[in-house]
Amino acid sequence: MIDFKYLANKYQTPLYVYDFNHFENQYNELKKAFKARKSIIAYAVKANSNLSVIKKFASLGSGADCVSIGEVKRALLAGVDKYKIIFSGVGKRDDEIKEALIKDILLLNLESEAEMKRVEAIAKELGKKARISIRVNPDIDPKTHPYISTGLSENKFGVDVEVAKGMYIYAKKSEYLDPVGIHFHIGSQLTELEPIKEASEKVANLVRSLKAINVDIKFFDVGGGLGIRYKDEETIKPYDYAQAILSTLSGLDVTIICEPGRFLVGNGGYFLTRVLYEKENKGKRFVIVDGAMNDLIRPSLYNAYHKIEVLNDNQEISKATIVGPICESGDFFGKDVELPKTNPGDLIVIYSAGAYGFTMASNYNSRLRVAEVAVENKEDRLIRRRETFADLIKCEIDYLV
Ligand code: LLP
């Protein structure tokens, strides 16, 4: 058990706390599920890009799935093997493409024909052959929140199967492109197996037809998306997930790449915040805390559920809406939650905050981004210090005339 009160006293609130042992267990469970094949677990850095978190996964042998050159650089700095780094994203700039090629990472994952031509031109300039994969949009409904659904043709991601085929044929003939991978990612927080299996089947069939025309795909990248339990969701077991994918790959000699983010870090993260005040507006109870939507935006943005617990012994329980100090009605962590009566200073734990928590934080309302702490083998350590006012203004102050 993590001693939240001790950590809140030591590091102050608001605060993110990460259980590195949980991260490790999740990684090992997924890696084991794929043991029948060669596999690379490429941690989706966007879920939690703290350098120490990436370093932890790198130490376990993880690769990195990146969506900007900034993430690629973080991964390299944290010690991820460059041949386990994939760079995806619908809108890569020339400078990002160039740097990724110079850094010689495993794959640039392409999302359009236009982008392929840019990568080819830049590789030519550099006198290099770019290792690429192509993101296929399998047009399958992942049955998740529309904002985090990505594998339907109405979404902006990837290209359809026919376009992908044409791109592979073009790339195969190019002196500067080496089409060695294929990719799909249908969405995030997936809790049903069938859409994943269907997508994998569709993409595996494309790999077979490519083989027939001498395009030899070596990396089969199934994206991320494995869901976690926030409340009472039935989640997919890693073993079943791996089996569903493996069952579609018979006869294909490919290395599987899998890009989990939330599954690895989501439930190992906690957001700690303290009560400032309580108040009632016409009978509606509000608990006002020192954390806010700028620190953890998932409830405001997706109406996402996060379990909220007050660490006090009060038996007097009633419904409350937990809000932060930001000047927006959307600034809440939970609405009408059964919560004990609180006193100023009481500690509140918000669960499942390890993924898309800190990475989506901002300085809105000129609030300072909070500190992050790792707990590993019962020891705690700071992995990002709290920002200061000087940090907040550092990119502006020199221009104040
Ligand atoms: N690979 C690709 C290409 C992705 O776009 C994503 C997530 C992942 C892997 C990792 O997905 P995961 O295993 O974490 O589900 N901010 C939203 C989630 C956005 C996910 C974006 N892409 C949230 O807080 O729910």
Side-chain angles (χ1 to χ4, degrees), residues 143-161:
K143 306 204 169 71
T144 183
H145 190 290
Y147 281 17
I148 51 177
S149 153
T150 50
L152 277 168
S153 49
E154 68 195 52
N155 302 128
K156 68 176 175 179
F157 300 98
V159 295
D160 68 46
V161 170

Side-chain angles (χ1 to χ4, degrees), residues 44 46 65 135 148 183 185 188-189 224-225 259-262 298 302 356 360:
K46 60 177 81 80
D65 162 49
R135 179 166 181 172
I148 51 177
H183 175 274
H185 169 82
S188 196
Q189 183 54 13
E259 307 170 344
R262 191 187 320 264
R298 301 194 72 259
Y302 313 114
Y356 308 106
M360 293 179 82

Side-chain angles (χ1 to χ4, degrees), residues 7 12 21 55 88 136-137 178 180 200 215 256 258 262 271 279 307 355 377 382:
L7 295 173
Q12 311 307 310
N21 295 105
K55 186 175 172 197
S88 288
V136 179
N137 184 327
D178 191 8
V180 288
S200 187
V215 179
I256 293 170
C258 170
R262 191 187 320 264
F271 181 65
K279 73 172 187 181
K307 183 178 146 192
N377 304 329
L382 193 62

Side-chain angles (χ1 to χ4, degrees), residues 2-145:
I2 297 176
D3 189 343
F4 294 119
K5 284 188 176 166
Y6 164 80
L7 295 173
N9 285 335
K10 182 167 173 183
Y11 298 102
Q12 311 307 310
T13 59
L15 181 72
Y16 274 102
V17 174
Y18 307 128
D19 178 350
F20 274 32
N21 295 105
H22 175 86
F23 292 175
E24 183 165 344
N25 292 341
Q26 295 293 99
Y27 178 88
N28 287 339
E29 193 181 353
L30 195 57
K31 183 72 187 167
K32 204 168 97 201
F34 280 109
K35 73 172 187 294
R37 286 263 185 165
K38 283 173 288 180
S39 70
I40 298 173
I41 308 284
Y43 169 55
V45 168
K46 60 177 81 80
N48 185 328
S49 49
N50 184 291
L51 287 172
S52 301
V53 173
I54 306 173
K55 186 175 172 197
K56 172 73 197 171
F57 287 116
S59 77
L60 300 172
S62 179
D65 162 49
C66 303
V67 77
S68 68
I69 201 69
E71 287 190 351
V72 171
K73 289 200 244 188
R74 274 183 182 270
L76 289 167
L77 191 61
V80 178
D81 179 345
K82 66 178 180 175
Y83 294 126
K84 291 183 182 170
I85 296 179
I86 302 130
F87 183 12
S88 288
V90 288
K92 301 180 198 75
R93 295 186 311 264
D94 282 8
D95 62 293
E96 293 186 294
I97 294 168
K98 188 169 176 186
E99 204 167 340
L101 289 175
I102 291 171
K103 296 208 180 318
D104 196 29
I105 60 171
L106 178 65
L107 290 170
L108 264 92
N109 189 29
L110 307 183
E111 304 219 17
S112 64
E113 286 181 282
E115 187 190 21
M116 178 173 71
K117 301 278 170 65
R118 282 312 301 152
V119 170
E120 186 186 34
I122 295 167
K124 185 174 176 186
E125 255 169 55
L126 295 172
K128 281 183 167 266
K129 196 161 187 161
R131 274 183 305 277
I132 58 154
S133 54
I134 292 171
R135 179 166 181 172
V136 179
N137 184 327
D139 196 16
I140 280 164
D141 184 356
K143 306 204 169 71
T144 183
H145 190 290

